[in-house]
Amino acid sequence: MNADYNIFLVAISIIIAITASYSALNIAAKISNAEGKSKLFWLIAGSIVMGAGVWSMHFIGMLAYRSHSMVDYDVLITILSMLASVFSSFLAFFITMPKAINKWKIACGGGVMGAGIVTMHYLGMKAMIMDAEMMYDPGLVTLSVVIALCASYAALLLFVRFRHDASSTWLKWGAAIIMGIAISGMHYTAMSATTFQMTESHVSHGGTDYAPDTFLLFGVIGTIFLIIMVSWVAMFFDRFVLEKMAFQDNVTGLANRNEMIRYFRKQPIGKKIAVLFLDLDQFKAINDTLGHEIGDLLLMEVGAILRKFESHSLRAYRIGGDEFLFISEYAEVPWMEKIADDILKEINLPIRVDGNELYVTGSIGIAEGTISDVGHTKLLRTADTAMYIAKRKGKNQYCVYTEEMGVKEVRRMELEKDLPRALEDDQFHLEYQPKWNVKTNSLYGFEALIRWDHPRLGVVPPIEFIPVAEENGIIVSVTKWTLETACKQCYEWSTHQGLNQPVAVNVSPSLFQTGTLYELIKHALDQSTLDPDKLEIEITESMMLHDVEDIIRQLNRIRQLGVKVSMDDFGTGYSSIGLLDTLPINAVKLDRIFTQDIEKPSKQAIIQAIIVLAESLDLDVVAEGVELEKDIDYLMKLGCFVMQGYYYSKPMKFEHIDEWASQREASLIK
């Protein structure tokens, strides 16, 4: 039978094959990277686009074939041919879906897809109802099968290649063209392998041209429409999923940092807003002890709590591990304070997570301001500053940012930045405040007090920079320098100035956690050749919050050197009264809060109780903050005889000690 092709439809069939291949390549990039239900969506979408595209190309090619004979199609077989194409594409994609894949799996997937294409083609040929018998050329049939298998293998190779590189558009189009031409080549090769032997009934009708089969025409149009719809839905789904991934936190379901940045970019310059910065206080400890899975479950519960506070004017964001932010367009601080108080009350309630009853608290910083042309960072920084101040005040509270806080925080940041160089540039010096025994009316020793001569800020007291040194770990180096200098200068005044008096050095509780204090003290004594009984270390009650047994062990080792130990600021921190009989100490020092308003009977009762307790344990008592003569009288009546304060002397530099001692001795003689 003589036949020819409609060139226009042939071109359309090739274009559809290329377009379907390009769409399938786009979808293939999503399959292995997707998770859960979205992976199944991409797998089905890719199978439909690829399978239906090959099927459409095939039947448009059939419509392009002008056989001058009336052709009908068996509906069931035609539908089966499409299902064969789609199902084989599904299996091929499923086989090659894992990220770790080798060429054997690709070959297996290519074999399945190729077999599906061949089955689809010859089922489609079988569906043709016409006045002719089909004869096949075995050689060309074999060639068409080889082309189908090779084209399928190449297609899957390209799928695997492009699923890790979803942005190379031109390479995808090039690959799609190669795939489209290969698929079309298989079809037209298979058509060339087919010879139609007309029956006598066809010959009697003559060589009349017949209109295309209506079912096939609408079937192809519907399939093309399906491909377009699936591709459009896939694109919409892709954008929706990407938007969710980019702008929503996948643990808490709250908006994330990217969404926060997008919000600020949309706001007009000068708009006034308020922000609330929340940080969970005990989250790291929970993560470290119970694991990250429990930590994530806890964050989910916290996210659910915070979501209850959201409204049209208040939006919550998770911007870090355990950091959350609320942005309010109703920029009134009192209202934000009420929100902060309500949030803290909710978070303080026990949270049950995977059988664990967890307790967390939060520290909150509140700030208000306007959107500036330099961005939102300043506003967030002020809220962050207020939050850290809330933490330093004891956590589980909120703090509203003020300009004074900003000045203090800038100063603190400068100290933090310059502290490491302070030791290198010899910016520290020691000052000494004498202790006086009023019973014997004689000097009882000195307390060494470190000072920092900052090149720009002047003299910085230890109450400012010691907490910074403890946070940054520089406290070990600072303590080492202090011990070495104090021992060296004590040796100087003991041997060359005739002052046979000991020196007391304050020690940070963090030194006990490092386990290095004993070595630091021994090194300082060895280097200075100072007698150990001339050195006293002062510890604080807050160290009792740590491992008490380990601290007692370390103090015993220090006492074995011959060094004395006293407890500074007794009665102001963690109550250590129950441990006084086990702690290896020599003295307790009453904080200045006891000498203030000492004329009150209640204060006197407390002081006397401490003195009686200390005497029963054979401990010396030293009163700090003595500034007036009446303070001395009251303390002596209560039984305290060793005192320290401005009444006797302000802290003085080492070079002034000899002069002070001489003046004091002269005044005693008079």
Side-chain angles (χ1 to χ4, degrees):
M1 179 184 70
N2 294 324
D4 58 5
Y5 284 95
N6 183 319
I7 300 301
F8 175 74
L9 289 178
V10 170
I12 291 294
S13 69
I14 296 173
I15 290 171
I16 287 177
I18 293 171
T19 305
S21 298
Y22 179 77
S23 297
L25 280 173
N26 271 325
I27 293 173
K30 318 293 182 185
I31 294 175
S32 63
N33 295 319
E35 297 291 341
K37 293 181 180 178
S38 63
K39 183 185 284 288
L40 181 61
F41 170 83
W42 290 118
L43 186 59
I44 293 173
S47 304
I48 291 174
V49 170
M50 189 69 204
V54 173
W55 185 90
S56 298
M57 178 270 139
H58 169 83
F59 278 96
I60 289 177
M62 296 298 293
L63 290 173
Y65 185 77
R66 296 188 295 202
S67 63
H68 308 292
S69 174
M70 182 176 177
V71 180
D72 288 326
Y73 287 87
D74 184 294
V75 175
L76 181 60
I77 296 177
T78 303
I79 293 173
L80 285 175
S81 68
M82 174 184 278
L83 292 177
S85 181
V86 172
F87 185 67
S88 64
S89 297
F90 181 89
L91 285 179
F93 285 148
F94 183 80
I95 291 170
T96 56
M97 184 171 57
K99 292 185 178 181
I101 189 171
N102 53 43
K103 290 184 178 180
W104 293 110
K105 280 192 176 182
I106 297 175
C108 181
V112 171
M113 181 180 282
I117 292 173
V118 171
T119 302
M120 179 275 302
H121 176 84
Y122 287 103
L123 273 176
M125 298 294 289
K126 181 70 175 175
M128 295 175 67
I129 303 171
M130 58 188 299
D131 296 332
E133 293 182 5
M134 284 181 280
M135 310 287 290
Y136 293 101
D137 182 324
L140 290 176
V141 169
T142 303
L143 179 60
S144 70
V145 172
V146 171
I147 292 173
L149 293 172
C150 291
S152 300
Y153 180 76
L156 291 180
L157 269 178
L158 293 169
F159 287 157
V160 173
R161 162 66 178 84
F162 286 113
R163 71 185 180 189
H164 300 301
D165 189 3
S167 60
S168 49
T169 304
W170 289 109
L171 286 174
K172 278 188 195 172
W173 273 114
I177 290 170
I178 294 171
M179 286 171 57
I181 292 173
I183 293 168
S184 302
M186 176 270 159
H187 170 78
Y188 290 109
T189 301
M191 289 298 294
S192 298
T194 308
T195 303
F196 295 92
Q197 188 68 42
M198 307 310 298
T199 63
E200 291 182 3
S201 60
H202 173 77
V203 175
S204 65
H205 285 88
T208 307
D209 287 337
Y210 292 91
D213 182 82
T214 305
F215 162 73
L216 182 61
L217 182 60
F218 281 104
V220 170
I221 293 172
T223 303
I224 294 172
F225 180 74
L226 176 66
I227 293 172
I228 294 171
M229 283 298 298
V230 170
S231 298
W232 183 83
V233 170
M235 180 179 66
F236 177 80
F237 180 79
D238 186 30
R239 288 184 179 178
F240 173 77
V241 171
L242 288 177
E243 174 121 352
K244 186 176 179 181
M245 290 175 60
F247 298 105
Q248 187 179 54
D249 179 58
N250 61 350
V251 176
T252 63
L254 298 173
N256 63 12
R257 179 180 285 273
N258 292 332
E259 176 63 20
M260 177 201 71
I261 294 171
R262 185 165 70 169
Y263 169 84
F264 280 115
R265 285 175 178 171
K266 288 181 179 178
Q267 305 311 307
I269 301 298
K271 182 175 181 178
K272 190 175 181 181
I273 62 171
V275 295
L276 184 154
F277 198 117
L278 165 67
D279 184 89
L280 301 181
D281 294 325
Q282 289 88 19
F283 181 72
K284 186 178 184 301
I286 292 172
N287 243 359
D288 292 344
T289 55
L290 299 179
H292 291 279
E293 289 185 6
I294 298 296
D296 285 347
L297 291 174
L298 174 61
L299 289 173
M300 288 174 61
E301 295 296 326
V302 172
I305 292 171
L306 299 182
R307 201 175 296 115
K308 293 189 293 187
F309 292 91
E310 287 191 301
S311 64
H312 69 281
S313 61
L314 186 66
R315 183 80 186 275
Y317 304 82
R318 183 190 176 203
I319 59 174
D322 59 349
E323 295 177 337
F324 300 87
L325 186 78
F326 279 90
I327 300 177
S328 173
E329 297 182 6
Y330 180 65
E332 295 293 334
V333 169
W335 184 71
M336 292 296 280
E337 287 185 88
K338 183 181 182 307
I339 295 293
D341 193 52
D342 291 343
I343 289 173
L344 291 175
K345 288 177 182 177
E346 284 280 342
I347 291 178
N348 284 348
L349 297 175
I351 301 174
R352 292 199 65 83
V353 175
D354 196 29
N356 299 284
E357 192 171 78
L358 304 179
Y359 293 85
V360 293
T361 58
S363 298
I364 294 176
I366 300 172
E368 63 175 344
T370 56
I371 304 293
S372 66
D373 54 0
V374 296
H376 57 276
T377 53
K378 182 179 179 182
L379 186 58
L380 294 186
R381 190 165 60 246
T382 56
D384 187 49
T385 298
M387 183 272 293
Y388 274 108
I389 290 173
K391 275 190 179 294
R392 287 201 287 268
K393 286 183 176 180
K395 304 178 181 179
N396 194 29
Q397 57 186 289
Y398 67 83
C399 183
V400 180
Y401 178 82
T402 63
E403 290 299 326
E404 184 183 357
M405 283 182 194
V407 173
K408 289 181 178 179
E409 192 62 24
V410 169
R411 179 180 173 92
R412 181 183 173 88
M413 289 172 62
E414 186 168 1
L415 295 179
E416 187 174 350
K417 175 177 65 72
D418 295 341
L419 191 56
R421 294 203 54 171
L423 281 170
E424 299 175 15
D425 296 346
D426 199 23
Q427 294 175 8
F428 290 116
H429 76 270
L430 292 182
E431 293 184 359
Y432 297 91
Q433 188 172 39
K435 292 182 281 187
W436 197 262
N437 189 327
V438 294
K439 200 176 216 179
T440 61
N441 204 23
S442 61
L443 187 61
Y444 194 75
F446 294 92
E447 179 182 358
L449 303 168
I450 189 170
R451 300 289 187 265
W452 179 8
D453 296 314
H454 193 280
R456 196 184 70 82
L457 301 176
V459 177
V460 181
I463 195 171
E464 270 197 90
F465 68 83
I466 290 298
V468 178
E470 289 175 333
E471 288 179 14
N472 294 349
I474 305 175
I475 189 65
V476 175
S477 300
V478 172
T479 303
K480 180 176 182 292
W481 179 89
T482 303
L483 284 167
E484 291 176 357
T485 305
C487 289
K488 177 183 176 183
Q489 293 180 346
C490 180
Y491 179 81
E492 286 289 323
W493 73 55
S494 297
T495 55
H496 301 299
Q497 297 178 10
L499 290 173
N500 191 25
Q501 298 295 332
V503 64
V505 177
N506 290 278
V507 174
S508 168
S510 58
L511 266 295
F512 287 92
Q513 297 175 45
T514 65
T516 59
L517 184 58
Y518 175 85
E519 284 74 18
L520 293 178
I521 292 172
K522 190 173 187 308
H523 175 76
L525 291 172
D526 292 343
Q527 188 182 58
S528 63
T529 67
L530 180 70
D531 291 337
D533 63 354
K534 290 292 190 293
L535 177 63
E536 178 182 355
I537 64 167
E538 295 187 2
I539 61 177
T540 59
E541 288 181 303
S542 59
M543 74 173 187
M544 295 297 110
L545 292 169
H546 305 290
D547 188 346
V548 176
E549 291 184 2
D550 182 61
I551 289 171
I552 292 174
R553 181 187 60 79
Q554 292 187 56
L555 289 176
N556 279 325
R557 288 190 71 199
I558 293 168
R559 286 285 302 273
Q560 288 171 6
L561 289 172
V563 176
K564 295 179 181 179
V565 180
S566 63
M567 181 167 287
D568 197 12
D569 301 332
F570 183 77
T572 61
Y574 174 84
S575 178
S576 57
I577 291 177
L579 297 172
L580 277 180
D581 62 332
T582 57
L583 286 174
I585 59 176
N586 303 92
V588 294
K589 297 184 73 174
L590 294 177
D591 189 75
R592 64 185 70 250
I593 64 170
F594 293 109
T595 55
Q596 293 172 356
D597 303 322
I598 195 172
E599 63 274 6
K600 291 183 178 179
S602 57
K603 282 286 183 72
Q604 295 178 30
I606 294 172
I607 294 172
Q608 191 167 34
I610 294 173
I611 292 172
V612 170
L613 176 64
E615 286 179 349
S616 65
L617 295 173
D618 197 25
L619 300 176
D620 294 333
V621 179
V622 181
E624 295 182 295
V626 177
E627 298 181 358
L628 303 173
E629 192 168 347
K630 68 178 180 65
D631 298 339
I632 300 173
D633 295 336
Y634 277 115
L635 288 167
M636 288 179 65
K637 289 177 183 178
L638 294 171
C640 179
F641 302 104
V642 180
M643 305 177 193
Q644 177 183 343
Y646 278 21
Y647 179 82
Y648 296 101
S649 174
K650 293 180 179 181
M652 67 191 91
K653 291 186 176 181
F654 169 72
E655 51 267 26
H656 297 154
I657 289 178
D658 190 36
E659 181 184 352
W660 174 86
S662 299
Q663 292 176 354
R664 190 72 186 177
E665 185 178 352
S667 65
L668 290 175
I669 294 173
K670 291 180 182 178

